Coordinates of all heavy atoms in Angstrom, one line a residue:
Q33 N 10.2 19.3 6.1 CA 11.6 19.3 6.4 C 12.4 19.4 5.1 O 13.7 19.4 5.2 CB 12.0 18.0 7.1 CG 11.3 17.9 8.5 CD 11.5 19.0 9.4 OE1 12.7 19.3 9.7 NE2 10.5 19.7 9.9
L34 N 11.8 19.5 4.0 CA 12.5 19.5 2.7 C 12.4 20.9 2.0 O 11.4 21.6 2.2 CB 12.0 18.4 1.7 CG 12.1 17.0 2.2 CD1 11.3 16.1 1.3 CD2 13.6 16.6 2.2
K35 N 13.4 21.2 1.3 CA 13.4 22.4 0.5 C 13.2 22.1 -1.0 O 12.8 22.9 -1.8 CB 14.7 23.2 0.7 CG 14.9 23.7 2.1 CD 16.2 24.5 2.2 CE 16.4 25.1 3.6 NZ 17.7 25.8 3.7
T36 N 13.5 20.9 -1.4 CA 13.3 20.4 -2.7 C 12.6 19.0 -2.6 O 12.6 18.4 -1.6 CB 14.6 20.2 -3.5 OG1 15.4 19.2 -2.8 CG2 15.4 21.5 -3.6
E37 N 12.0 18.6 -3.8 CA 11.3 17.3 -3.9 C 10.2 17.2 -2.8 O 10.0 16.1 -2.3 CB 12.3 16.1 -3.7 CG 13.5 16.2 -4.7 CD 13.0 16.1 -6.2 OE1 11.9 15.7 -6.4 OE2 13.8 16.5 -7.0
I38 N 9.6 18.3 -2.5 CA 8.5 18.2 -1.5 C 7.3 17.4 -2.0 O 6.8 16.5 -1.3 CB 8.0 19.7 -1.2 CG1 9.2 20.5 -0.5 CG2 6.8 19.7 -0.3 CD1 8.9 21.9 -0.4
K39 N 6.9 17.7 -3.2 CA 5.7 16.9 -3.8 C 6.1 15.4 -4.0 O 5.3 14.5 -3.7 CB 5.3 17.5 -5.1 CG 4.7 18.9 -5.0 CD 4.2 19.4 -6.3 CE 3.6 20.8 -6.2 NZ 3.2 21.3 -7.6
T40 N 7.4 15.2 -4.4 CA 7.8 13.8 -4.6 C 7.7 13.0 -3.3 O 7.2 11.9 -3.3 CB 9.3 13.8 -5.0 OG1 9.4 14.5 -6.3 CG2 9.8 12.4 -5.2
F41 N 8.3 13.6 -2.2 CA 8.2 12.8 -0.9 C 6.7 12.6 -0.5 O 6.3 11.6 -0.1 CB 9.0 13.6 0.2 CG 8.9 12.9 1.5 CD1 9.8 11.8 1.8 CD2 8.0 13.2 2.4 CE1 9.7 11.1 3.0 CE2 7.9 12.5 3.6 CZ 8.8 11.5 3.9
F42 N 5.9 13.7 -0.6 CA 4.5 13.6 -0.1 C 3.8 12.5 -0.9 O 3.1 11.7 -0.2 CB 3.9 15.0 -0.3 CG 2.4 15.0 0.2 CD1 2.2 15.4 1.5 CD2 1.4 14.6 -0.6 CE1 0.9 15.4 2.0 CE2 0.1 14.6 -0.2 CZ -0.2 15.0 1.2
I43 N 3.9 12.5 -2.2 CA 3.1 11.5 -3.0 C 3.6 10.1 -2.7 O 2.8 9.2 -2.5 CB 3.2 11.9 -4.5 CG1 2.5 13.2 -4.8 CG2 2.6 10.8 -5.3 CD1 2.7 13.7 -6.2
F44 N 4.9 9.9 -2.8 CA 5.4 8.5 -2.6 C 5.2 8.0 -1.2 O 4.8 6.9 -0.9 CB 6.9 8.5 -3.0 CG 7.1 8.3 -4.4 CD1 7.3 9.4 -5.3 CD2 7.2 7.0 -5.0 CE1 7.5 9.2 -6.6 CE2 7.4 6.8 -6.3 CZ 7.6 7.9 -7.2
A45 N 5.4 8.9 -0.1 CA 5.2 8.5 1.2 C 3.7 8.1 1.5 O 3.5 7.1 2.2 CB 5.6 9.5 2.2
L46 N 2.8 8.9 1.0 CA 1.4 8.6 1.1 C 1.0 7.3 0.4 O 0.3 6.4 0.9 CB 0.6 9.7 0.6 CG -0.9 9.6 0.7 CD1 -1.4 9.4 2.2 CD2 -1.7 10.8 0.1
G47 N 1.6 7.1 -0.8 CA 1.3 5.9 -1.6 C 1.8 4.7 -0.9 O 1.1 3.6 -0.9
I48 N 3.0 4.7 -0.4 CA 3.6 3.6 0.3 C 2.7 3.1 1.5 O 2.4 1.9 1.7 CB 5.0 3.9 0.7 CG1 5.9 4.0 -0.5 CG2 5.5 2.8 1.7 CD1 7.3 4.5 -0.1
Q49 N 2.3 4.1 2.3 CA 1.5 3.8 3.4 C 0.1 3.2 3.0 O -0.3 2.2 3.6 CB 1.3 5.0 4.3 CG 2.5 5.5 5.0 CD 2.2 6.8 5.8 OE1 2.0 6.7 7.0 NE2 2.0 7.9 5.1
L50 N -0.5 3.8 2.1 CA -1.8 3.3 1.6 C -1.7 1.9 1.0 O -2.6 1.0 1.3 CB -2.4 4.2 0.6 CG -2.9 5.6 1.1 CD1 -3.4 6.5 -0.1 CD2 -4.1 5.4 2.1
A51 N -0.7 1.6 0.3 CA -0.5 0.3 -0.3 C -0.2 -0.7 0.8 O -0.8 -1.9 0.8 CB 0.7 0.3 -1.2
G52 N 0.6 -0.4 1.8 CA 0.8 -1.3 2.9 C -0.5 -1.6 3.7 O -0.8 -2.8 4.0
W53 N -1.3 -0.6 3.9 CA -2.5 -0.7 4.6 C -3.5 -1.6 3.8 O -4.2 -2.5 4.3 CB -3.2 0.7 4.8 CG -4.5 0.7 5.4 CD1 -4.9 0.6 6.7 CD2 -5.8 0.7 4.6 NE1 -6.3 0.7 6.8 CE2 -6.8 0.7 5.5 CE3 -6.0 0.8 3.2 CZ2 -8.2 0.8 5.1 CZ3 -7.4 0.8 2.8 CH2 -8.4 0.8 3.8
G54 N -3.5 -1.4 2.5 CA -4.3 -2.1 1.6 C -4.0 -3.6 1.6 O -4.9 -4.4 1.6
L55 N -2.7 -4.0 1.6 CA -2.4 -5.4 1.6 C -2.9 -6.1 2.9 O -3.4 -7.2 2.8 CB -0.8 -5.5 1.5 CG -0.2 -5.2 0.2 CD1 1.3 -5.2 0.3 CD2 -0.7 -6.2 -0.9
V56 N -2.7 -5.4 4.0 CA -3.2 -6.0 5.3 C -4.7 -6.2 5.2 O -5.2 -7.3 5.6 CB -2.8 -5.2 6.5 CG1 -3.4 -5.7 7.8 CG2 -1.3 -5.2 6.6
H57 N -5.4 -5.2 4.8 CA -6.9 -5.3 4.8 C -7.4 -6.3 3.7 O -8.4 -6.9 3.9 CB -7.5 -3.9 4.6 CG -7.6 -3.2 5.9 ND1 -8.7 -3.3 6.8 CD2 -6.8 -2.3 6.6 CE1 -8.5 -2.5 7.8 NE2 -7.4 -2.0 7.7
F58 N -6.7 -6.4 2.7 CA -7.0 -7.4 1.7 C -6.9 -8.8 2.2 O -7.8 -9.6 2.0 CB -6.1 -7.2 0.4 CG -6.7 -7.8 -0.8 CD1 -7.9 -7.4 -1.4 CD2 -6.1 -8.9 -1.4 CE1 -8.4 -7.9 -2.5 CE2 -6.6 -9.5 -2.5 CZ -7.8 -9.0 -3.1
R59 N -5.9 -9.0 3.0 CA -5.7 -10.3 3.7 C -6.8 -10.5 4.7 O -7.4 -11.6 4.8 CB -4.3 -10.3 4.4 CG -4.1 -11.6 5.3 CD -4.0 -12.8 4.4 NE -3.7 -14.0 5.2 CZ -4.6 -14.7 5.9 NH1 -5.8 -14.4 5.9 NH2 -4.2 -15.8 6.6
M60 N -7.2 -9.5 5.5 CA -8.2 -9.7 6.5 C -9.6 -9.8 5.9 O -10.4 -10.7 6.3 CB -8.2 -8.5 7.4 CG -7.0 -8.4 8.3 SD -7.2 -7.1 9.7 CE -7.4 -5.6 8.7
D61 N -9.9 -9.1 4.8 CA -11.2 -9.0 4.3 C -11.5 -10.2 3.3 O -12.6 -10.7 3.2 CB -11.5 -7.7 3.5 CG -11.5 -6.5 4.5 OD1 -11.6 -6.8 5.7 OD2 -11.3 -5.4 4.0
Y62 N -10.5 -10.6 2.5 CA -10.7 -11.6 1.5 C -10.0 -12.9 1.7 O -10.2 -13.9 0.9 CB -10.4 -11.0 0.1 CG -11.1 -9.7 -0.2 CD1 -10.5 -8.5 -0.2 CD2 -12.5 -9.8 -0.4 CE1 -11.2 -7.3 -0.5 CE2 -13.2 -8.6 -0.7 CZ -12.6 -7.4 -0.7 OH -13.3 -6.3 -1.0
G63 N -9.1 -13.0 2.7 CA -8.5 -14.2 3.0 C -7.2 -14.5 2.3 O -6.7 -13.8 1.5
F64 N -6.6 -15.6 2.7 CA -5.3 -16.1 2.3 C -5.2 -16.2 0.8 O -4.2 -15.8 0.2 CB -4.9 -17.4 3.0 CG -3.7 -18.1 2.4 CD1 -2.5 -17.6 2.6 CD2 -3.9 -19.2 1.6 CE1 -1.4 -18.2 2.1 CE2 -2.8 -19.8 1.1 CZ -1.5 -19.3 1.3
F65 N -6.2 -16.9 0.2 CA -6.0 -17.3 -1.2 C -6.0 -16.1 -2.2 O -5.3 -16.1 -3.1 CB -7.1 -18.3 -1.6 CG -6.9 -19.7 -1.2 CD1 -7.6 -20.3 -0.2 CD2 -5.9 -20.4 -1.9 CE1 -7.3 -21.6 0.2 CE2 -5.6 -21.7 -1.5 CZ -6.3 -22.3 -0.4
W66 N -6.8 -15.0 -1.8 CA -6.8 -13.9 -2.7 C -5.6 -13.0 -2.6 O -5.1 -12.4 -3.5 CB -8.1 -13.1 -2.6 CG -9.2 -13.8 -3.2 CD1 -10.3 -14.3 -2.6 CD2 -9.3 -14.1 -4.6 NE1 -11.1 -15.0 -3.5 CE2 -10.5 -14.9 -4.8 CE3 -8.5 -13.9 -5.7 CZ2 -10.9 -15.3 -6.0 CZ3 -9.0 -14.3 -7.0 CH2 -10.1 -15.1 -7.1
L67 N -5.0 -13.0 -1.4 CA -3.7 -12.3 -1.2 C -2.6 -13.1 -1.9 O -1.7 -12.6 -2.5 CB -3.3 -12.1 0.3 CG -2.0 -11.4 0.5 CD1 -2.1 -10.0 -0.1 CD2 -1.7 -11.3 2.0
L68 N -2.7 -14.5 -1.9 CA -1.8 -15.3 -2.6 C -1.9 -15.1 -4.1 O -0.9 -15.0 -4.8 CB -2.1 -16.8 -2.3 CG -1.3 -17.8 -3.0 CD1 0.2 -17.7 -2.6 CD2 -1.8 -19.2 -2.8
W69 N -3.1 -14.9 -4.6 CA -3.3 -14.5 -6.0 C -2.6 -13.2 -6.4 O -1.8 -13.1 -7.3 CB -4.8 -14.4 -6.3 CG -5.1 -13.7 -7.6 CD1 -4.9 -14.1 -8.9 CD2 -5.6 -12.4 -7.7 NE1 -5.3 -13.2 -9.8 CE2 -5.7 -12.1 -9.1 CE3 -6.0 -11.4 -6.8 CZ2 -6.2 -10.9 -9.6 CZ3 -6.5 -10.2 -7.3 CH2 -6.6 -9.9 -8.7
L70 N -2.8 -12.2 -5.5 CA -2.2 -10.9 -5.8 C -0.7 -11.0 -5.8 O 0.0 -10.5 -6.8 CB -2.6 -9.9 -4.7 CG -1.8 -8.6 -4.6 CD1 -2.0 -7.8 -5.8 CD2 -2.2 -7.8 -3.3
M71 N -0.1 -11.7 -4.8 CA 1.4 -11.8 -4.8 C 1.9 -12.7 -5.9 O 3.0 -12.4 -6.4 CB 1.8 -12.3 -3.4 CG 1.4 -11.4 -2.2 SD 1.9 -12.0 -0.6 CE 3.6 -11.8 -0.7
S72 N 1.1 -13.7 -6.2 CA 1.6 -14.6 -7.3 C 1.6 -13.9 -8.6 O 2.6 -14.1 -9.4 CB 0.6 -15.8 -7.4 OG 0.6 -16.6 -6.3

């Protein structure tokens, strides 16, 4: 839907989604304390 900043949107949108997914799975796979470490 963009005529400019096509790569910019693609890269950042993909990165944001992967990072959000990673945080949830890190909490599920490794537990509360290691997510606490990451956020701390």
